[in-house]
Amino acid sequence: MSESVPELVGRFSSGDQTAFAELVRRYRGRIYHLAFGILGNHLDADEVVQESFVRVFRRQKELANVRNFTAFLTRIATNYAIDLLRRQKAHAQTTDDPSSLPANVQLDLARRIKTPADTYRDRKVMEEIYQALSALPPRQKITAVMHDLQGFTKAEIAFALGCPEATVRSNLHIARAKLKRILKKRL
Amino acid sequence: MTCRLARSLLDAYLDSELSHEDHNQVTMHLSGCDQCQKEFESGNQLRALLTKRPQPEPSLGYWDEVTRIILARTIENDPVSQNRSDKTGSNSNGHSILFRPLISVIASLGLLFAALFIGANKELIAPIANSPFVEEESLTAGIWMVNGESSYTISPEDELLLTRGILLLAPPGPLSRFDAANTMIEAE
């Protein structure tokens, strides 16, 4: 029987490094998919995965007081993803070249990732969704990705973003309305 | 229920977050209002599109690699775990960690004392060289000798023996020193 997450966190906070390695193995996929959903490209998702776990490691002693490790890690990853997203936006605004837009970069990289359903149609859908998402402000985008793509609850998103649940609801409502407009021909 | 109220509850309706009563009221409203029904369907389709979108899945090699990098950036560079591994490590490692600085210190001290010793001797020679004591050139030996209170000179015979000894002590090589020594012995 595998060890529970609170047990692993307890062992890690008391100095057992092997527990940290196990936590990395258990959560790396979840953080990668969350980051890919927000940032839309493999390189940035990879950076979020690495940096999030490095930051958790540095806060090893704090973990003794953390009740929900998943929420704690998600918050760290989300904050880092927001930073990267803002950098992406800032970079995109400094140039008029459409090829430098994050959506195009992310789609180019997404094409290289082989999936069982890696067909032309899937890629086209993915391209349209990421382009639509990239048009949203960071917090609306993250709320939509976390809720509708990754299945996080509104309470979890509120904790990750450090805002009230009402703000999450509002952001989600606005994000959905915008996505509906952008993806109108698909709906 | 008004259209305005129904639409304000539509997100919560889609997310199944409404109470049983509110849920039933929205369902009833949707069944009788085409506009709101259309709004609901587009919301439902968007949700389906987002949740069913293809998700990129990196290879197993990537997971191994990223885990290795994370552990290299954390556990392997952690000073606390480094200390632990040093303490639990082999004796030879512990010895090498202790011996290296010790040997360095000893070597440095050796060099320092050698430098001090040479420096002190030079200081002893320099006053003698500059002193008003007799400085005599040994013409017979053909070399400069410094004479102190007890005069000491090398005779030509001693010089010859010394030269021969140095030549014999020297290892054989391209200069053929053995041959030179032998030639000197034969010349005598």
Side-chain angles (χ1 to χ4, degrees), chain A residues 62-83:
Chain A
E62 280 178 50
L63 285 172
N65 304 319
V66 170
R67 287 182 186 175
N68 187 342
F69 177 75
T70 309
F72 178 78
L73 176 63
T74 305
R75 187 171 189 161
I76 289 174
T78 311
N79 283 337
Y80 194 72
I82 290 172
D83 288 346

Side-chain angles (χ1 to χ4, degrees), chain A residues 85 88-89 102-103 106 129-137 141 179:
Chain A
L85 202 58
Q88 275 185 359
K89 293 251 175 194
Q106 62 191 249
I129 291 169
Y130 281 120
Q131 274 177 347
L133 285 167
S134 67
L136 301 176
K141 178 180 179 177
L179 289 172

Side-chain angles (χ1 to χ4, degrees), chain B residues 127-188:
Chain B
I128 294 166
N130 297 328
S131 70
F133 291 119
V134 181
E135 196 175 79
E136 184 184 313
E137 188 181 354
S138 173
L139 293 172
T140 49
I143 56 169
W144 286 92
M145 296 300 295
V146 177
N147 291 334
E149 286 175 8
S150 58
S151 67
Y152 173 73
T153 55
I154 299 172
S155 67
E157 291 79 21
D158 290 342
E159 190 199 349
L160 190 66
L161 286 169
L162 190 64
T163 311
R164 198 190 298 157
I166 290 167
L167 285 168
L168 284 169
L169 278 171
L175 295 174
S176 302
R177 284 176 178 169
F178 274 108
D179 290 344
N182 289 335
T183 313
M184 284 175 75
I185 294 164
E186 282 168 12
E188 285 177 41

Side-chain angles (χ1 to χ4, degrees), chain A residues 159-172:
Chain A
F159 179 80
L161 297 177
C163 64
E165 268 190 58
T167 310
V168 174
R169 284 178 203 284
S170 161
N171 279 335
L172 188 60

Side-chain angles (χ1 to χ4, degrees), chain B residues 19 56 65-66 76-77 79 94 97-98 111 115-116 136 140 153 156-157 164 168:
Chain B
S19 66
E65 180 65 11
V66 77
E76 289 163 28
N77 284 330
I97 287 164
L98 283 174
L111 284 170
L116 284 172
E136 184 184 313
T140 49
T153 55
E157 291 79 21
R164 198 190 298 157
L168 284 169

Side-chain angles (χ1 to χ4, degrees), chain A residues 28 46 148 154 173 176, chain B residues 11 15 17 51 62 67 73:
Chain A
R28 60 193 181 187
D46 175 55
D148 289 350
K154 291 181 177 78
H173 179 75
R176 281 173 173 172
Chain B
D11 272 344
D15 297 335
E17 290 175 347
T51 49
Y62 167 73
T67 307
R73 288 180 65 189

